[in-house]
C-alpha cells in the first residue's frame, strides 16, 4: 500500500472523519430541501405566483412535508419490471450523488475540537477525475431504471440519458483540461489555491462557458431534461417509479445539481476564496468565513439552474445532440489548442516582438487562405448539386421505369395518393374529383 | 491483515464474481452490468496499488463510456431479446476452454516470472521519481512510449472512422430544416392547418363519408387520397341533410 496521505489530507483521526462524513451528508440533505423550496419560490415569482408559503416560515418546511408524504406513499412495481435491477437503480443514483462530494473543498484549514484540519473530507492527486468517474457511474442509475422498468417510455428515457451522458461528459472533460494546464494539478484543493490571484472563470472564460453548458446537460435539468421530458416521455426514466424509490431519484437530481455547482465553483470561481471586494479584508479568507463564500457561489449556480428552468423551453433531441458534438466538443478542442500553444510560447519560447508580429500575420494569412478554399469548394458543390437537381426535375417521373416500380429521384415528384398532393398538379385523372363526388351524390338522390 | 490485504481480498473476489456473472448471465444487459462491476473493482485495486490516475481513467473510460455504449446498443436492440444459445461453430466450446487455459497459463507464468526474477523497485519509488503518479505516467507516455501511444490513438481513430463509414448514409439533397418546411408550407398557398376530417356528417362515422361545407356541398378535401382515387366516396343524402337542418331550426 502506498502512502494514503496527500498534503494535509489523510491525517485526520477516525472521529473527525466521521464528523466530516455526517456533516456533508446532513448538509447535502438540507441543501436539497432548501433548493426544492427555493426553486419553487423563484419559479413562482418569475411566473407571477406566490409559491409555497404555508408550512413553516416562508413555506420553508414545505419540501420536508412533501418528502415525508412521498416516502409514505404506496409503492407500485410494474409486472414487467426486472426486479433486481429495478431495485438497485435508484440506490446507484442516490449513493453516487452523495459520494462525489468527498473531494469538494469547503474551506481552508480550520481547527475542529483542537485538531487542525482542512474543510474537505479528502483529496488526492486526481480528485477532479474522481468526480467525473463517480458522475459516470451515477448515470447507470438512470439508464438501468429505464431498462428495468420493462416499459417503453422509461426505456426511451434511459436511452436518451446514456447518449446524453456520453456526449456531454466529453465536452465536460475537455473543459477541465485548460484548468489542469493552468493549475498544474488535478486535485481540487490545489486548483482552488492556484486561483489565488485571479479566478479561472476570467482567464479561461471559454472553458467556463463550456462547463456551465455541459453541467446542465449532465444533470438532466431544463432545457436539457430530455431523459424525463414530461411532454414526450411521460416521466422518462422514472415513469414507473413511486414512493421512496422515486424520492431517491428526486434526491439524486438535486444533489447532483449541488455537486456540479460546487465543482464549477472549485474549478472556475476560486472555490472558497473570498470574492474581490471582500478579499481586501484579510479575515475573509481565514477561519470559517470561506465556507460562507463557497456556499454563496454555489447558490449563484443553483439560481442559474432555476432561472434556466423558468425561462427556456426544452430543446429538441437531435438539436441537443448536434449542439454537443458539433459545437461544444470542437470549440473545446480548439480552445485547448490555443491555451496549450499560449502556455508553451510563454514558458519555453522567448519571442521578440518582430517574430510575434510575423507569426501572427502568417497565422491570419493561413486562416484566410483556408477559409477561402473552403468557401470556394462549398460554392462549387452547391452549384453542382443545384445542376443535378435541376436535371432530375426536368425528367418526368416514370413510376414503372424499366418495368419495375421505382421511387422518385431527388427533385422528381411522386404521384401522390395523399389528400395534400391533390392540391398539386401531378395527379393525372380523367375526371375531377369534385365531379365524381357530385355525381355519386346525385345518383344517390335520384335513386 | 493490512489495509491493502483487505482491499485486495474484497475487491479481488468481487472482480472474480463479476467476471463469473458476465459468463453465466442469461440476459445480455445483466452481463454488461457484471462487466461494469468488475471494472469498478479493478479500478479500486489500481488505486490501492498507488495508481490513482489509472484507476480513475479505468472507471471513466471503461465503466463510463465503453460499457455505457454497450448498454446503449443492447437497449436499442430491445429489452426482451435474448441470445440464441445454439452453437454455430463446431467444437467452439472445446476450443474456448483450450485457449482459456492457455491464456491463464501464459498469465500465471508471465506474471510469476516477473515477480520472481525481475525484482521489484517498489511503487513509492516509481511514483516519486517524477514528483507523482500523474507526472510519472505523463513522462513515460510522452517520451519513451510516444510512438506506441500515437499508434494506438491512430488505430482508435481508424476504427471510429470505419464505424462512421459503415453507418454513413449519403443524402441526395440536404434535409429541409424546420424553418424551411414551415416557410414552404405557407408559401404553397394551400391551407396550412389541418384539413377537414371525414366522417363527421350526422349519423355516419366512417372515413369515406365526406364532410359537408356550410352550404351543404361536399368538401372533397376531407376524403383520404386513396379513397378518392378509387371513387369510394359515400353518397350524401341531401334529404337527410335537410331533415337535420329542420330539426335543428325547430
Amino acid at each position: 500500500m502506498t502512502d494514503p496521505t496527500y498534503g494535509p489530507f489523510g491525517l485526520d483521526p477516525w472521529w473527525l472523519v466521521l464528523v466530516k462524513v455526517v456533516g456533508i451528508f446532513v448538509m447535502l440533505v438540507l441543501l436539497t430541501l432548501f433548493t426544492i423550496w427555493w426553486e419553487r419560490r423563484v419559479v413562482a415569482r418569475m411566473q407571477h405566483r406566490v409559491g409555497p408559503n404555508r408550512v413553516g416560515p416562508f413555506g420553508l418546511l414545505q419540501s420536508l412535508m412533501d418528502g415525508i408524504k412521498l416516502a409514505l406513499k404506496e409503492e407500485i412495481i410494474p409486472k414487467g419490471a426486472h426486479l433486481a435491477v429495478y431495485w438497485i437503480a435508484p440506490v446507484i443514483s442516490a449513493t453516487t450523488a452523495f459520494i462525489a462530494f468527498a473531494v469538494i473543498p469547503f474551506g481552508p484549514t480550520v481547527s475542529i475540537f483542537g485538531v487542525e484540519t482542512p474543510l474537505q473530507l479528502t483529496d488526492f492527486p486526481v480528485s477532479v477525475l474522481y468526480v467525473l468517474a463517480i458522475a459516470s457511474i451515477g448515470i447507470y442509475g438512470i439508464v438501468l431504471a429505464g431498462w428495468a422498468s420493462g416499459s417503453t417510455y422509461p426505456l426511451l428515457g434511459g436511452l436518451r440519458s446514456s447518449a446524453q451522458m456520453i456526449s456531454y461528459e466529453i465536452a465536460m472533460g475537455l473543459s477541465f483540461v485548460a484548468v489542469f494546464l493552468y493549475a498544474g494539478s488535478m486535485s481540487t484543493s490545489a486548483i482552488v489555491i492556484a486561483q489565488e490571484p485571479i479566478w479561472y472563470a476570467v482567464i479561461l472564460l471559454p472553458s467556463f462557458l463550456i462547463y456551465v453548458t455541459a453541467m446542465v446537460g449532465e444533470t438532466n435539468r431544463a432545457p436539457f431534461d430530455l431523459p424525463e421530458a414530461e411532454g414526450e416521455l411521460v416521466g422518462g426514466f422514472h415513469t414507473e417509479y413511486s414512493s421512496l424509490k422515486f424520492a431517491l431519484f428526486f434526491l439524486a437530481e438535486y444533489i447532483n445539481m449541488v455537486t456540479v455547482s460546487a465543482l464549477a465553483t472549485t474549478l472556475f470561481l476560486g472555490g472558497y476564496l473570498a470574492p474581490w471586494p471582500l478579499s481586501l479584508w484579510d479575515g475573509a479568507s481565514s477561519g470559517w468565513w470561506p465556507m460562507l463564500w463557497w456556499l454563496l457561489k454555489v447558490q449563484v449556480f443553483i439560481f442559474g439552474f432555476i432561472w434556466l428552468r423558468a425561462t427556456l423551453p426544452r430543446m429538441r433531441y437531435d438539436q441537443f445532440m448536434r449542439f454537443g458534438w458539433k459545437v461544444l466538443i470542437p470549440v473545446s478542442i480548439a480552445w485547448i489548442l490555443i491555451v496549450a500553444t499560449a502556455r508553451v510560447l510563454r514558458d519555453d519560447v522567448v519571442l521578440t516582438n518582430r517574430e510575434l508580429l510575423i507569426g501572427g500575420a502568417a497565422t491570419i494569412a493561413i486562416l484566410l487562405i483556408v477559409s477561402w478554399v473552403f468557401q470556394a469548394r462549398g460554392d462549387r458543390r452547391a452549384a453542382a448539386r443545384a445542376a443535378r437537381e435541376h436535371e432530375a426535375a426536368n425528367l418526368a417521373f416514370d413510376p414503372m421505369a424499366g418495368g419495375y416500380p421505382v421511387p422518385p429521384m431527388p427533385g422528381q415528384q411522386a404521384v401522390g395518393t395523399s389528400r395534400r398532393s391533390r392540391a398539386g398538379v401531378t395527379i393525372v385523372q380523367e375526371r375531377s374529383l369534385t365531379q365524381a363526388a357530385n355525381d355519386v351524390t346525385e345518383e344517390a338522390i335520384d335513386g | 491483515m493490512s489495509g491493502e490485504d483487505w482491499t485486495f481480498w474484497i475487491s479481488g473476489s468481487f472482480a472474480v464474481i463479476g467476471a463469473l456473472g458476465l459468463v453465466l448471465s442469461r440476459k445480455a444487459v445483466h452481463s454488461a452490468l457484471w462487466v461494469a462491476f468488475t471494472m469498478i473493482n479493478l479500478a479500486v485495486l489500481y488505486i490501492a496499488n498507488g495508481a490513482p490516475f489509472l484507476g480513475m481513467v479505468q472507471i471513466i473510460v471503461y465503466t463510463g463510456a465503453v460499457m455505457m455504449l454497450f448498454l446503449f446498443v443492447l437497449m436499442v436492440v430491445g429489452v426482451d431479446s435474448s441470445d440464441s444459445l445454439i452453437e454455430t461453430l463446431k467444437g467452439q466450446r472445446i476450443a474456448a476452454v483450450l485457449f482459456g487455459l492457455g491464456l491463464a497459463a501464459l498469465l500465471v507464468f508471465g506474471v510469476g516470472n516477473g515477480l520472481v526474477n525481475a525484482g521489484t523497485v517498489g511503487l513509492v519509488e516509481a511514483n516519486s521519481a517524477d514528483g507523482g503518479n500523474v507526472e510519472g505516467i505523463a513522462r513515460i507516455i510522452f517520451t519513451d512510449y510516444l510512438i506506441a501511444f500515437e499508434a494506438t490513438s491512430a488505430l482508435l481513430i481508424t476504427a471510429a472512422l470505419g464505424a462512421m463509414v459503415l453507418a454513413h448514409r449519403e443524402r441526395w439533397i440536404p434535409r429541409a430544416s424546420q424553418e424551411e418546411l414551415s416557410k414552404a408550407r405557407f408559401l404553397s398557398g394551400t391551407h396550412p392547418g389541418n384539413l377537414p376530417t371525414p366522417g363527421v356528417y350526422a349519423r355516419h362515422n366512417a372515413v369515406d363519408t365526406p364532410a359537408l361545407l356550410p352550404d351543404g356541398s361536399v368538401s372533397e378535401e376531407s376524403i383520404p387520397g386513396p379513397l378518392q382515387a378509387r371513387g369510394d366516396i359515400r353518397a350524401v343524402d341531401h334529404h337527410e341533410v335537410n331533415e337535420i337542418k329542420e330539426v335543428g331550426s325547430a
Side-chain angles (χ1 to χ4, degrees):
Chain A
M1 191 103 186
T2 51
D3 189 15
T5 61
Y6 174 73
F9 298 97
L11 303 168
D12 295 335
W14 66 268
W15 57 266
L16 189 54
V17 174
L18 199 68
V19 165
K20 284 184 180 176
V21 168
V22 173
I24 289 175
F25 180 83
V26 170
M27 187 191 72
L28 284 178
V29 173
L30 289 181
L31 267 179
T32 301
L33 293 180
F34 172 76
T35 310
I36 294 171
W37 170 82
W38 180 227
E39 173 166 31
R40 293 178 65 179
R41 291 290 292 211
V42 171
V43 170
R45 173 55 63 88
M46 287 178 178
Q47 297 169 345
H48 301 283
R49 294 186 287 116
V50 180
N53 65 347
R54 295 283 130 183
V55 192
F58 306 105
L60 264 169
L61 297 179
Q62 182 70 47
S63 16
L64 182 67
M65 293 299 140
D66 285 348
I68 293 170
K69 177 188 155 212
L70 188 55
L72 294 178
K73 280 178 112 167
E74 182 191 357
E75 167 134 33
I76 299 162
I77 299 177
K79 262 188 182 167
H82 302 263
L83 270 183
V85 182
Y86 183 85
W87 273 84
I88 200 127
V91 178
I92 295 178
S93 249
T95 41
T96 50
F98 277 108
I99 60 178
F101 235 78
V103 294
I104 300 293
F106 308 104
T109 305
V110 294
S111 165
I112 299 178
F113 300 122
V115 183
E116 289 284 318
T117 177
L119 271 178
Q120 179 175 359
L121 180 57
T122 185
D123 199 5
F124 55 113
V126 289
S127 50
V128 177
L129 296 187
Y130 165 82
V131 178
L132 215 54
I134 296 299
S136 70
I137 297 176
I139 305 289
Y140 269 83
I142 292 176
V143 176
L144 293 181
W147 178 79
S149 295
S151 170
T152 310
Y153 286 127
L155 183 73
L156 289 173
L159 269 177
R160 282 185 177 189
S161 182
S162 60
Q164 180 168 336
M165 177 256 160
I166 293 171
S167 317
Y168 275 70
E169 206 166 72
I170 296 174
M172 193 183 237
L174 287 174
S175 72
F176 293 160
V177 173
V179 173
F180 296 157
L181 283 176
Y182 266 78
S185 173
M186 288 191 258
S187 102
T188 46
S189 57
I191 288 173
V192 170
I193 293 166
Q195 295 179 68
E196 188 76 73
I198 188 158
W199 295 352
Y200 288 149
V202 181
I203 45 177
L204 300 173
L205 187 65
S207 287
F208 176 61
L209 296 178
I210 291 163
Y211 176 79
V212 170
T213 315
M215 82 179 185
V216 181
E218 190 77 4
T219 41
N220 299 330
R221 289 281 305 182
F224 299 155
D225 55 347
L226 296 149
E228 47 177 287
E230 71 276 350
E232 306 151 37
L233 299 180
V234 190
F237 64 92
H238 58 57
T239 305
E240 304 290 357
Y241 279 87
S242 46
S243 189
L244 201 60
K245 293 201 186 69
F246 174 72
L248 286 181
F249 280 123
F250 208 159
L251 185 70
E253 177 181 332
Y254 279 86
I255 295 177
N256 280 333
M257 254 166 82
V258 179
T259 308
V260 290
S261 302
L263 196 64
T265 307
T266 307
L267 293 179
F268 295 103
L269 289 195
Y272 52 76
L273 300 176
W276 172 66
L278 287 164
S279 59
L280 299 175
W281 167 47
D282 280 341
S285 40
S286 63
W288 289 81
W289 283 110
M291 200 165 162
L292 182 65
W293 317 142
W294 175 85
L295 201 62
L296 290 177
K297 287 175 190 176
V298 169
Q299 284 306 319
V300 168
F301 282 106
I302 302 268
F303 182 77
F305 271 115
I306 298 170
W307 196 357
L308 280 178
R309 184 186 152 183
T311 316
L312 294 176
R314 184 175 303 123
M315 265 181 109
R316 216 172 68 193
Y317 185 66
D318 60 328
Q319 290 172 340
F320 172 70
M321 284 314 235
R322 194 180 313 144
F323 179 67
W325 284 97
K326 294 191 175 172
V327 178
L328 282 187
I329 295 176
V331 168
S332 298
I333 293 176
W335 170 243
I336 293 167
L337 208 65
I338 293 171
V339 169
T341 314
R343 293 285 291 187
V344 170
L345 285 180
R346 205 191 69 184
D347 294 352
D348 301 343
V349 185
V350 185
L351 290 177
T352 62
N353 278 346
R354 194 188 148 93
E355 279 168 336
L356 263 181
L357 281 176
I358 292 172
T363 316
I364 290 169
I366 290 170
L367 281 178
L368 280 176
I369 290 169
V370 167
S371 71
W372 178 73
V373 167
F374 268 92
Q375 178 78 42
R377 204 176 62 170
D379 287 350
R380 212 165 51 233
R381 282 192 177 173
R385 196 167 55 206
R388 217 168 44 221
E389 275 169 36
H390 185 67
E391 200 178 313
N394 279 345
L395 288 172
F397 171 54
D398 178 6
M400 294 294 279
Y404 295 101
V406 289
M409 295 295 280
Q412 284 180 338
Q413 184 95 41
V415 176
T417 51
S418 73
R419 284 187 279 161
R420 289 226 183 255
S421 61
R422 203 187 35 69
V425 289
T426 43
I427 299 178
V428 185
Q429 273 175 324
E430 302 202 15
R431 284 196 311 174
S432 90
L433 287 161
T434 325
Q435 231 178 331
N438 286 343
D439 288 355
V440 174
T441 317
E442 278 162 26
E443 264 172 50
I445 294 168
D446 295 341
Chain B
M1 285 205 291
S2 71
E4 188 178 4
D5 288 339
W6 279 107
T7 319
F8 173 77
W9 286 111
I10 293 173
S11 277
S13 337
F14 279 169
V16 173
I17 291 171
L20 289 175
L22 155 71
V23 182
L24 299 176
S25 292
R26 294 251 161 186
K27 278 201 164 63
V29 170
H30 289 172
S31 291
L33 288 183
W34 282 119
V35 185
F37 183 66
T38 305
M39 299 285 187
I40 294 171
N41 279 297
L42 289 182
V44 172
L45 288 179
Y46 292 152
I47 294 164
N49 277 318
F53 182 75
L54 193 60
M56 288 307 148
V57 170
Q58 163 95 5
I59 294 183
I60 294 172
V61 174
Y62 286 98
T63 315
V66 175
M67 285 322 296
M68 194 53 90
L69 269 178
F70 261 82
L71 267 183
F72 185 81
V73 173
L74 289 176
M75 284 164 67
V76 169
V77 168
V79 179
D80 291 318
S81 71
S82 55
D83 294 323
S84 145
L85 295 172
I86 301 163
E87 270 185 68
T88 47
L89 297 171
K90 257 193 175 171
Q92 189 188 4
R93 291 187 187 203
I94 299 164
V97 168
L98 284 178
F99 280 116
L101 286 176
L103 181 67
L106 272 178
L107 283 175
V108 167
F109 288 116
V111 175
N113 185 38
L115 282 178
V116 175
N117 297 334
T120 48
V121 184
L123 287 160
V124 178
E125 215 167 303
N127 274 345
S128 57
D130 295 290
N133 176 256
V134 183
E135 288 85 347
I137 289 181
R139 192 188 62 75
I140 289 176
I141 286 180
F142 290 108
T143 57
D144 299 355
Y145 295 99
L146 180 66
I147 292 175
F149 181 70
E150 294 292 339
T152 315
S153 66
L155 199 67
L156 284 174
I157 289 172
T158 315
L161 214 61
M164 281 164 70
V165 168
L166 285 177
H168 184 68
R169 191 167 61 99
E170 188 78 33
R171 289 199 83 89
W172 284 76
I173 42 176
R175 184 198 210 116
S177 69
Q178 209 170 11
E179 188 189 348
E180 285 165 355
L181 286 173
S182 166
K183 278 182 180 160
R185 190 158 60 236
F186 279 89
L187 281 176
S188 69
T190 51
H191 183 56
N194 289 348
L195 292 172
T197 49
V200 291
Y201 163 62
R203 307 183 308 197
H204 303 288
N205 187 15
V207 283
D208 62 346
T209 309
L212 294 185
L213 295 174
D215 62 352
S217 64
V218 165
S219 165
E220 58 186 59
E221 284 178 327
S222 66
I223 300 295
L227 291 185
Q228 285 180 5
R230 293 207 303 255
D232 267 352
I233 300 175
R234 185 180 287 266
V236 175
D237 186 343
H238 280 277
H239 298 300
E240 230 173 32
V241 175
N242 290 333
E243 247 172 62
I244 293 166
K245 267 188 196 160
E246 280 162 24
V247 170
S249 58

